[in-house]
Amino acid sequence: SSKKCSSTQTLSSGAVGGGSTEETPTPALQTIDPVATVYPNPAKGLVTIQIKDGTLSADNIQLLDTYGKMYPANAKILSAQSLQIDLSRLSSGMYFIRVKVGDAYQVFRVVRL
């Protein structure tokens, strides 16, 4: 007698009602093209950052640990859209790499093994 039971529903298995069955089309799977990537993650040494749009500069990079302590990034520019940072001198843990891309900053989380 509830409103949930009184509504008509069409099941794709055809188990109820014996009428025609309609299936709702499933949306096509879409791949998400990341704006920026950091790899490998987790890392033991070098980490590469690649961006899709904009340009990177070694002057606009910060490397921080989870406590907010800053470390020298020592970034090596590979191209206008990619750079490498050496994490081998750091102890194991989680680090944040803050990179200025255009007018905005992007923050990447990296685990150092």
Side-chain angles (χ1 to χ4, degrees):
S1 66
S2 72
K3 291 183 181 182
K4 289 183 181 179
C5 293
S6 65
S7 67
T8 56
Q9 296 178 355
T10 303
L11 300 177
S12 61
S13 65
V16 177
S20 66
T21 60
E22 291 184 32
E23 290 187 18
T24 306
T26 55
L29 294 177
Q30 297 178 359
T31 57
I32 298 172
D33 193 12
V35 175
T37 56
V38 177
Y39 60 91
N41 193 10
K44 289 185 179 182
L46 292 176
V47 173
T48 303
I49 297 175
Q50 277 191 311
I51 62 168
K52 185 176 180 181
D53 297 320
T55 57
L56 296 169
S57 170
D59 299 334
N60 296 318
I61 300 168
Q62 296 175 336
L63 178 61
L64 303 105
D65 64 11
T66 55
Y67 299 106
K69 181 179 177 185
M70 291 182 60
Y71 298 90
N74 298 330
K76 176 183 175 187
I77 300 293
L78 301 176
S79 71
Q81 285 85 25
S82 66
L83 60 89
Q84 279 186 334
I85 296 176
D86 187 10
L87 303 178
S88 62
R89 70 189 185 288
L90 302 173
S91 59
S92 297
M94 185 183 317
Y95 293 89
F96 298 98
I97 302 171
R98 187 173 182 233
V99 180
K100 187 170 185 182
V101 180
D103 294 333
Y105 280 91
Q106 290 187 344
V107 178
F108 304 96
R109 184 174 49 189
V110 178
V111 176
R112 163 71 168 96
L113 296 177

